[in-house]
Amino acid sequence: MRVGSSSASYGADGKYSFNGGNLGRYRVDTGRICVDFDSGQARCDKIVKDAGNYYLINAQGQRYQFRP
């Protein structure tokens, strides 16, 4: 997934990385993508589609358009 000039990778095996770092595992949970990072941190982001565009909305309400 491309988010601006950044790249998030969601593997079929549940592995996650952001820009080749920030490693962890992800799960899909009721309209959200949740990531448990290897560092012990965790995050859940909402994914919405609006007028044909996809957006990731984080816990702070920041909205990022992305391409799947």
Side-chain angles (χ1 to χ4, degrees):
M1 159 192 319
R2 301 282 309 161
V3 181
S5 62
S6 301
S7 179
S9 174
Y10 297 89
D13 59 357
K15 291 183 181 177
Y16 170 86
S17 71
F18 185 75
N19 286 337
N22 298 315
L23 304 176
R25 299 198 55 81
Y26 78 93
R27 65 191 183 288
V28 177
D29 179 33
T30 316
R32 303 181 307 166
I33 294 178
C34 297
V35 179
D36 296 313
F37 294 97
D38 291 350
S39 67
Q41 302 261 330
R43 176 182 93 212
C44 289
D45 298 315
K46 189 178 203 183
I47 303 295
V48 297
K49 185 176 180 182
D50 183 23
N53 296 309
Y54 290 91
Y55 297 91
L56 178 148
I57 303 171
N58 66 18
Q60 292 76 32
Q62 296 168 310
R63 189 175 174 115
Y64 301 94
Q65 186 174 358
F66 71 89
R67 290 180 296 151

